[in-house]
Amino acid sequence: MTEISVLSIFLAAVFTNNILLTNYLGMCSFLAVSSEVKASAGLGMAVTFVMAVTSVLNWIVEHHILVPLDLVYMRYIVYIIVIAAFVQLVEMIIERVSESLYSALGIFLPLITVNCAILGATLFIAIREYTLPQAAAYGAGGGLGWALAIVAMAGIRQKMARARVPRGLSGAGISLVITGIMALAFIGFSGMIRIN
Amino acid sequence: MSAARPKAGRVFADGLLRNNPVFVQVLGICSTLAVTNVFENTLVMCIGLVFTTGLSNFSLSLLRSMIPGRIRMIVETLVIASWVIVFDIIIKATLPEISKALGAYVGLIITNCIVMGRAEAFALANKPLISMADGIANGLGYSWVLLAVAFVRELLGSGSILGARVLGEWWTNWNIMVMAPGGFFVLAILIWIVRGRMERNKEGAR
Amino acid sequence: MKFATKRAERLYTILFMFLISLFCISILTAVYLASRERIRNNETLASKRALLTAARMPVPDDLRTLDEIFKNQVSEYTNVPGSRIFAVRQGASSDPASGRRRILGFVFEGRGTGLWGEIRAWVGVSPDRKQLMAVAITAHSETPGLGARIDEPWFGRQFSGKASPLVARPEKTRSAIQTEFDGITGATATIEGVRGMLNSILSNAPAAVNLIIRFDADLSNAVSMHDSNAAALTALQAKEAQP
């Protein structure tokens, strides 16, 4: 089988094949939270952490539990439960261990369970039949790419606050336009990285 | 939601227009927007969404008095995921090619905010049948917007609709429409048009 | 009192969760088991149809005929490590004396790397092992509307008669040169993957076929018959071309 190198999967997940800008995943929390840089950075960090770990966890579950037991059709339920349980666990640990970290990340964790980017990354990994290192690279890169997009977006939106926008377009509309332009800019990276 | 028993007609009007999940709440575009560059795929995804919102609203409403508050979310997720799996199996058995093209996106209906949102906001407080109507109405409200986006994208991006060539050989495909940015732009323009009209209507009423 | 109700509540929560999980899982299992056969059939059917397309054979609609063709005309060889090769023969013999059937072509299993992941295909190679017959993409995870268009029929069909080293040209060039094929606009990485896959199959095909015919006398005869016919034909053509 032809192998795609781990580094190029990571870089592609951050830039050229950004999960938010090319797959539209995680739009809900993206549009809701991206009005402030600090909150965006917190959410971005939380997403990166959860996505990186759950990608690996779900890969292990897929290859060591679901496939041997012929339970692949249950994949969606099992994945979402793993993600929910992990998020819950992290929330409990952070709450006990560090108060400052909890106040920075804690409020975002419940949002993450229903963030489609996390489940999406896991499903893409399963469907593209990545190996474990590839899955880890895709999970970490995907989360980082998402964080990058939301922080950049928050920065732009803060600048936009004083701009005059047509009434029907203000809010969600203009956010989508900005995201579209960002997606265009990210396509520009494609000459730089190529998976092969 | 008003305290009085909602009527089916009103529920549909709300879901399709007045309180349309995409225009008003900008929810749940993630799972489907990615497949809107091909009209046929969008159609199947939208059917899946209507199927899931309708049936999960119905079954959660049946269970509503029994669900313990503390595990409400996980029960909702479980029921929604089950319906999505049922839909996934159905299309795998009947439309294998489209199922292959949709890949991961069918599973992503689970995390579509509309499904969970309608369960929380409506199904847990209303009777089963009207909840199902609400689910279907919101699913349809979402679908028509996404189908409109897909129509524009496939027409301009590939010169075809449902795979059949509509524009002649002279037409140069706009590749940008097929790629991700096209989806963002088309949806933004659509939201602009509809919201602008809504605001004007509001002013007119005043 | 308060303690007791709290405990009952907790017990109820656990019991409820358990029962609802059990209920959902049993329903899903039932639906899955009921449709499993059909899903598997769909998969093998699609794969077999694609294989015939790659060999430029007419593809029958009903399962019966398809099975019949696979039983009589298609034989799989697995003695080349790491690849699956099929030989496709004529249905009825054209030479009643020997009963030998002409070889129509070989189908190789191709694996390449696209933009997002692996691309799998059936690749038809002509009996002389030098040209492609057609390509049928069976699995990929490319972008819908762009790279995913490699599974459109025109794309696989255009490879008829093409030979190594393949070079991609812009879409709709429809080049008459034997080594050039039409790419897809906006899907450079995907096309590169397909090109690499096809070139490697073409360069390995003669050796792979030599390996499989070593263990199959009938196939070996069919291939050498094809080769001698072809040689005779070229000799004849050369003679006619001379003044």
Side-chain angles (χ1 to χ4, degrees):
Chain A
M1 187 188 144
T2 36
E3 289 277 320
I4 305 174
S5 95
V6 170
L7 183 70
S8 44
I9 285 196
F10 178 80
L11 289 175
V14 178
F15 296 108
T16 50
N17 302 336
N18 189 295
I19 199 160
L20 183 103
L21 298 174
T22 61
N23 298 103
Y24 310 93
L25 296 183
M27 285 297 291
C28 301
S29 25
F30 179 77
L31 291 177
V33 179
S34 66
S35 47
E36 207 191 314
V37 174
K38 212 175 153 205
S40 302
L43 183 62
M45 254 153 64
V47 166
T48 309
F49 175 64
V50 174
M51 197 188 280
V53 180
T54 52
S55 295
V56 173
L57 282 180
N58 277 330
W59 188 92
I60 296 170
V61 167
E62 165 92 8
H63 289 262
H64 293 279
I65 300 174
L66 297 183
V67 172
L69 295 178
D70 194 22
L71 285 176
V72 177
Y73 65 100
M74 291 288 227
R75 190 186 254 179
Y76 302 153
I77 286 193
V78 177
Y79 284 176
I80 196 94
I81 287 175
V82 168
I83 293 169
F86 178 74
V87 169
Q88 197 83 53
L89 192 76
V90 171
E91 201 179 346
M92 280 177 345
I93 292 174
I94 289 185
E95 200 178 358
R96 305 255 155 99
V97 174
S98 157
E99 202 144 303
S100 60
L101 196 63
Y102 184 74
S103 61
L105 290 185
I107 41 165
F108 300 115
L109 285 169
L111 267 176
I112 284 179
T113 316
V114 286
N115 187 323
C116 21
I118 310 268
L119 182 68
T122 295
L123 286 174
F124 282 137
I125 287 169
I127 284 181
R128 293 176 196 155
E129 296 173 0
Y130 283 160
T131 60
L132 184 57
Q134 286 177 331
Y138 188 77
L144 215 59
W146 197 87
L148 188 69
I150 194 173
V151 171
M153 180 71 189
I156 297 172
R157 268 176 91 170
Q158 272 183 350
K159 295 263 179 223
M160 287 285 299
R162 292 199 203 135
R164 281 164 56 92
V165 177
R167 206 144 21 105
L169 199 62
S170 62
I174 195 71
S175 303
L176 284 171
V177 172
I178 297 172
T179 321
I181 295 171
M182 249 162 71
L184 265 181
F186 271 60
I187 289 177
F189 285 118
S190 53
M192 195 172 84
I193 310 144
R194 187 171 291 163
I195 304 181
N196 57 13
Chain B
M1 222 34 66
S2 56
R5 286 234 320 266
K7 293 252 163 51
R10 205 197 147 83
V11 158
F12 270 94
D14 260 355
L16 287 173
L17 267 179
R18 232 169 319 163
N19 208 6
N20 185 296
V22 179
F23 291 135
V24 181
Q25 309 157 27
V26 200
L27 277 185
I29 45 180
C30 22
S31 59
T32 312
L33 199 55
V35 299
T36 50
N37 51 8
V38 180
F39 191 81
E40 194 180 22
N41 295 351
T42 316
L43 194 64
V44 175
M45 273 297 278
C46 287
I47 293 170
L49 192 96
V50 173
F51 175 91
T52 314
T53 41
L55 288 170
S56 67
N57 258 10
F58 178 77
S59 37
L60 284 168
S61 168
L62 272 182
L63 292 170
R64 70 185 188 280
S65 55
M66 286 182 269
I67 302 177
R70 222 184 307 166
I71 55 164
R72 198 184 70 232
M73 295 286 257
I74 194 89
V75 172
E76 283 168 9
T77 315
L78 186 72
V79 171
I80 292 168
S82 306
W83 283 119
V84 172
I85 295 179
V86 170
F87 180 72
D88 190 39
I89 294 177
I90 292 174
I91 62 165
K92 262 198 190 121
T94 53
L95 301 165
E97 271 168 33
I98 291 183
S99 154
K100 221 172 14 172
L102 291 177
Y105 291 105
V106 177
L108 288 173
I109 295 178
I110 298 172
T111 46
N112 190 314
C113 327
I114 293 175
V115 189
M116 183 82 102
R118 289 330 289 173
E120 283 272 292
F122 199 96
L124 293 181
N126 289 289
K127 291 205 163 138
L129 281 178
I130 193 82
S131 296
M132 190 156 134
D134 176 77
I136 293 174
N138 273 278
L140 288 176
Y142 171 84
S143 300
W144 81 256
V145 179
L146 271 279
L147 286 171
V149 172
F151 183 84
V152 175
R153 284 183 78 186
E154 189 174 333
L155 186 70
L156 300 182
S158 313
S160 60
I161 289 302
L162 280 168
R165 186 115 199 144
V166 209
L167 300 172
E169 281 287 309
W170 50 271
W171 176 256
T172 308
N173 292 342
W174 300 11
N175 266 315
I176 191 72
M177 280 297 158
V178 186
M179 292 194 271
F184 287 116
F185 294 141
V186 173
L187 185 64
I189 291 167
L190 210 60
I191 288 181
W192 188 7
I193 295 170
V194 173
R195 277 201 176 171
R197 181 158 294 180
M198 277 177 176
E199 302 233 333
R200 225 172 303 141
N201 281 353
K202 239 185 255 164
E203 265 161 34
R206 223 177 273 156
Chain C
M1 187 59 207
K2 209 176 166 190
F3 183 72
T5 50
K6 217 174 179 182
R7 206 166 146 188
E9 209 183 284
R10 214 173 259 179
L11 200 70
Y12 174 73
T13 306
I14 293 172
L15 197 71
F16 181 84
M17 194 64 218
F18 178 74
L19 284 178
I20 188 118
S21 307
L22 196 71
F23 181 73
C24 286
I25 288 171
S26 36
I27 285 194
L28 287 183
T29 312
V31 173
Y32 169 71
L33 290 178
S35 60
R36 183 169 59 175
E37 206 54 28
R38 192 159 168 187
I39 291 174
R40 280 207 187 139
N41 278 345
N42 278 343
E43 277 163 13
T44 48
L45 206 70
S47 172
K48 282 183 174 174
R49 285 213 177 112
L51 201 146
L52 291 188
T53 317
R56 294 194 79 80
M57 300 254 295
V59 181
D61 276 325
D62 63 314
L63 242 168
R64 262 265 190 87
T65 334
L66 196 68
D67 277 340
E68 198 79 346
I69 290 175
F70 265 76
K71 220 166 99 195
N72 296 329
Q73 292 174 252
V74 181
S75 35
E76 185 177 355
Y77 296 86
T78 48
N79 39 10
V80 179
S83 65
R84 297 169 71 190
I85 302 172
F86 297 80
V88 184
R89 281 172 241 213
Q90 216 173 19
S93 168
S94 52
D95 176 13
S98 65
R100 246 179 231 147
R101 292 179 299 158
R102 269 200 310 134
I103 183 96
L104 295 176
F106 300 94
V107 176
F108 286 68
E109 183 185 39
R111 286 166 170 236
T113 309
L115 176 69
W116 298 93
E118 196 180 40
I119 297 171
R120 269 185 240 166
W122 295 126
V123 180
V125 176
S126 62
D128 64 7
R129 286 91 77 201
K130 284 176 196 144
Q131 296 173 10
L132 294 171
M133 297 202 296
V135 175
I137 306 283
T138 50
H140 67 80
S141 37
E142 302 307 297
T143 326
L146 291 174
R149 288 178 53 213
I150 52 173
D151 59 16
E152 286 176 7
W154 69 267
F155 183 76
R157 237 185 284 135
Q158 63 163 334
F159 288 100
S160 171
K162 300 283 175 188
S164 172
L166 290 169
V167 186
R169 306 290 300 158
E171 199 171 334
K172 288 183 189 160
T173 306
R174 298 192 185 112
S175 166
I177 298 165
Q178 210 184 13
T179 55
E180 292 184 348
F181 69 99
D182 286 6
I184 291 171
T185 320
T188 314
T190 312
I191 295 298
E192 269 308 293
V194 173
R195 189 178 77 93
M197 170 178 85
L198 296 179
N199 274 336
S200 91
I201 286 181
L202 278 171
S203 61
N204 292 330
V209 170
N210 279 343
L211 196 68
I212 63 170
I213 61 176
R214 215 183 285 167
F215 301 96
D216 187 335
D218 183 54
L219 183 67
S220 167
N221 283 333
V223 170
S224 56
M225 189 167 84
H226 173 90
D227 287 355
S228 58
N229 283 352
L233 195 67
T234 30
L236 200 71
Q237 277 165 348
K239 215 174 185 180
E240 273 172 5
Q242 265 165 18

